[in-house]
Amino acid sequence: MSSSENWAEGGALTLQATLPPQPTSNRAKPYQQKVYIKKPANLAGLRAAEKLARLLSGQVIAEKFTWEEWGTKFQASSSCSEAIARFEKHYLNQGGSKDTWNGDYWKIYKRLPKTAAVSPDVFTALTEGTIPNTRTRQRTVTALATLAKFSGIDWNGKHLKGSYSPQKTAPRELPDDREIADYRESLNRSRIRHGSGCMGSWPAMACETMRFFT
C-alpha cells in the first residue's frame, strides 16, 4: 500500500511518497520522492494538499501514476544551463529567496559547463574539482544533489561529501600578552618598539604605522 505525506518546503507544501522513477532516472525501482504541488503552507493549502495526497496514493496503488500528469516535464538531453534556469524559476516560484539562490545555488551552478547535458558525470567532475573535506566541497555536493533530484538525475554525491566539520578546524596558537611584551622589549630600535606598540594598541596596519616610526 502506498502512502504519502505533506511537507513544507520554501514556503509551499509538497507531497512525498514512494513513486516510480522519473523518466530520466537511472533507477529501476520506486523510491521516496517529492511532488511539488504549489500549495501554500497554511490551513487552506493543507486541506488541498490532503486531497491531492489521496489522489496520488490512489494512482500509485492503481499503477496509473505518471510524472507528466503531476507537472514534471524533463528532457534527458537538457543542458546544464536549461536545467538551472528551470530550477531557478521553480525555486523562486516556491517562495525561495533570491539571496539564498545566489549564495547557496548559483554560486555553485555557474561553474557547470553551460552546454553540457546534465548528468552524473558532470556533477561528479565539478565536485572532484573542489578540495576534499572542506565546506566548499560539502556545499557543492548539497547544491548539485538538489539540482540532480529536480532534474530526475540519479546522483546524490554522498560518497564525495567528505567529513568536514567546523569543530575539526585546528585551533590557532597565539602568544599571550607577556610573550608579546617581552618580544617588543627585545627590539633594538626604539621607533620599531613604538610602532609595534601602536599596532598592538590600535587597529593600525603595519604599512600605516611604519610610515611614521621608520
Side-chain angles (χ1 to χ4, degrees):
M1 182 175 180
S2 173
S3 63
S4 59
E5 299 178 71
N6 299 325
W7 295 85
E9 185 172 288
L13 294 172
T14 65
L15 301 180
Q16 181 167 307
T18 300
L19 301 170
Q22 297 183 32
T24 55
S25 174
N26 294 325
R27 296 198 182 193
K29 297 180 179 180
Y31 61 101
Q32 281 284 310
Q33 299 178 77
K34 291 180 181 179
V35 176
Y36 296 90
I37 57 175
K38 299 182 180 180
K39 299 299 180 183
N42 55 32
L43 183 58
L46 182 59
R47 288 172 177 169
E50 288 175 344
K51 292 181 180 179
L52 290 173
R54 287 193 290 270
L55 174 62
L56 175 64
S57 180
Q59 289 183 350
V60 173
I61 293 173
E63 298 184 351
K64 293 183 178 180
F65 172 86
T66 65
W67 284 102
E68 289 76 13
E69 183 176 346
W70 289 83
T72 302
K73 299 178 181 179
F74 297 124
Q75 298 177 358
S77 59
S78 294
S79 67
C80 289
S81 61
E82 292 170 339
I84 292 168
R86 283 200 302 269
F87 180 51
E88 179 183 13
K89 182 178 179 180
H90 165 79
Y91 177 81
L92 297 177
N93 285 343
Q94 293 295 314
S97 73
K98 190 68 174 179
D99 288 342
T100 301
W101 167 261
N102 289 333
D104 293 349
Y105 296 103
W106 175 241
K107 188 176 182 179
I108 307 299
Y109 297 157
K110 67 182 180 181
R111 293 189 277 121
L112 286 167
K114 295 181 180 180
T115 58
V118 287
S119 69
D121 289 343
V122 169
F123 294 153
T124 297
L126 179 58
T127 301
E128 290 180 340
T130 61
I131 300 174
N133 302 317
T134 61
R135 184 167 181 263
T136 298
R137 169 66 69 90
Q138 285 200 345
R139 294 184 68 177
T140 298
V141 169
T142 299
L144 293 179
T146 303
L147 180 61
K149 189 171 185 178
F150 177 80
S151 302
I153 303 297
D154 188 15
W155 188 92
N156 58 37
K158 287 183 178 180
H159 64 292
L160 299 170
K161 204 166 188 178
S163 57
Y164 168 79
S165 172
Q167 286 73 29
K168 294 183 179 180
T169 304
R172 293 182 298 174
E173 294 186 4
L174 301 176
D176 58 29
D177 292 346
R178 183 69 266 169
E179 291 176 306
I180 294 174
D182 290 343
Y183 179 78
R184 176 179 176 276
E185 292 303 319
S186 70
L187 297 173
N188 294 326
R189 297 178 61 183
S190 61
R191 289 186 177 182
I192 298 296
R193 287 200 301 274
H194 292 320
S196 62
C198 290
M199 291 173 61
S201 302
W202 297 285
M205 297 176 64
C207 60
E208 297 172 333
T209 306
M210 293 301 107
R211 186 185 307 167
F212 298 101
F213 292 98
T214 57

